[in-house]
């Protein structure tokens, strides 16, 4: 970090929030900040932000930032590079194909519909890419929407879990499970392609030894609590006396905690650690302001993947239904109020606060969809925008900006004090 930046902004925290493939925006934005001399001493991440944080933590400075961009440009270039159909679903489909009656012989191009269906299963990833991508996209947005909705209630995680665990609901699930074996279905998708690429590109030991303190957010499924793992956790510490097996065990445990932070349930499996199950914390906790302000840093950069200009004032029921994650008024207003809370804390504590958001999300970029052309577009447009942002950085510091006002027709936040209401 340059002396000028260090003297003015002190200890810097990068907070990489989730957003699936839209996190390519934060990778580009954070790289431009590092190039300008803003090297973080702390990083906090969840979900897709954890994927981005790996490179920045492994090699602090411009080397790690550029490595993160290379991973996006070379490896995270399509839906198929991120996930596959979960093996359980593939096995069920194969079993289904295997019990097709022999009466179907002489049907189909190969004179056997059984053979045709088996070939279809082999090409299932391509079928998903061409025909089933939209249902997965809607499923991802629906999952995010439900967790956002949970934040509208006082005891949000517990109330929904109590409902799902009610005897009547469990009895219904048991009846359905007799036919579909849903209890064995741990997830719809398998993130193995992405995890394999990351493990090939990242040196885990360098991440553990990094001078950057990395705080990794996950949610404990059983009680909805937000849990913070770290590359500096005592049970990961090494003094040089460990044998290869011990070092490998600690590295594997750390990778498991990283995977827990990216477990977008139910699309991806919950991750079990020490008898508890963990999932993506960003779903129900997309802006961890309390955790971020508690780290004692002088400057905080939040990298959001929600576009600035997307907040709709007038309701549009049909569009709200189709755009549950990216453009839903519930999601945007929740983020809006959380940013207001962050600004209030920044003013009270004297902390420099910056919220970095894209101007727009291009077509073809979503929770689980991306292509190489979009990545190049983001690199060009976001890189240019961030240079303009940095040219007048102080004007974006929410610590000194006028208080953020709520847009018309927004439902007031029940946690706000009377003097804070618009």
């Amino acid at each position: 970090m340059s002396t000028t930046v260090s003297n003015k902004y002190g200890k810097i925290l990068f907070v990489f929030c989730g957003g699936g493939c839209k996190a390519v925006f934060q990778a580009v934005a954070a790289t431009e900040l590092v190039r300008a001399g803003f090297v973080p001493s702390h990083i906090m991440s969840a979900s897709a932000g954890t994927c981005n944080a790996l490179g920045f933590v492994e090699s602090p400075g411009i080397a790690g930032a550029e490595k993160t961009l290379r991973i996006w440009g070379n490896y995270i270039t399509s839906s198929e590079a991120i996930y596959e159909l979960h093996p359980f679903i593939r096995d069920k489909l194969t079993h289904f194909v295997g019990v097709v009656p022999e009466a179907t012989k002489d049907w189909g191009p190969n004179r056997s519909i059984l053979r045709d269906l088996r070939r279809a299963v082999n090409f299932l990833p391509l079928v998903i890419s061409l025909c089933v991508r939209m249902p997965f996209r809607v499923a991802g947005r629906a999952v995010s929407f439900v967790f956002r909705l949970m934040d509208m209630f006082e005891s949000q995680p517990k109330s929904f879990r109590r409902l799902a665990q009610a005897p009547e609901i469990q009895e219904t699930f048991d009846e359905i499970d007799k036919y579909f074996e849903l209890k064995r279905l741990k997830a719809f998708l398998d993130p193995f392609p992405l995890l394999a690429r990351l493990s090939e590109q990242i040196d885990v030991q360098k991440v553990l030894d990094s001078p950057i303190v990395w705080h990794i957010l996950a949610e404990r499924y059983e009680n909805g609590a937000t849990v913070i793992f770290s590359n500096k956790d005592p049970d990961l510490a090494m003094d040089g006396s460990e044998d290869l097996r011990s070092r490998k065990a600690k590295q594997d445990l750390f990778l498991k905690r990283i995977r827990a932070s990216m477990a977008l349930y139910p699309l991806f499996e919950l991750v079990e650690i020490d008898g508890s199950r963990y999932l993506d914390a960003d779903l129900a906790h997309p802006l961890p302001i309390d955790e971020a302000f508690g780290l004692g840093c002088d400057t905080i950069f939040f990298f959001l993947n929600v576009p600035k200009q997307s907040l709709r004032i007038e309701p549009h029921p049909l569009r709200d239904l189709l755009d549950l994650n990216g453009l839903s008024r519930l999601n945007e207003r929740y983020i809006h109020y959380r940013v207001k809370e962050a600004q209030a804390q920044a003013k009270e504590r004297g902390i420099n606060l910056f919220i970095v958001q894209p101007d727009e999300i291009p077509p073809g970029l979503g929770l689980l969809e991306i292509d190489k052309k979009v990545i190049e577009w983001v690199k060009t447009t976001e890189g240019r925008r961030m240079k303009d942002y940095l040219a007048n950085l102080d004007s974006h510091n929410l610590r000194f900006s006028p208080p953020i006002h709520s847009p018309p027709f927004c439902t007031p936040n029940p946690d706000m004090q009377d003097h804070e209401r618009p």
Side-chain angles (χ1 to χ4, degrees), residues 258-276:
I258 289 174
R259 187 159 60 90
S261 178
M262 298 190 291
L264 180 65
Y265 184 75
L267 298 182
F268 301 123
E269 283 187 28
L270 296 170
V271 177
E272 184 170 340
I273 303 174
D274 297 330
S276 296

Side-chain angles (χ1 to χ4, degrees), residues 30 110 115 117 148 155 165 168 252 256 267 358 382 413:
N110 291 303
R115 183 176 177 184
L117 286 173
R148 300 277 196 262
S155 57
Q165 293 167 0
E168 297 81 5
D252 288 346
K256 202 171 188 180
L267 298 182
E382 188 66 6
N413 187 341

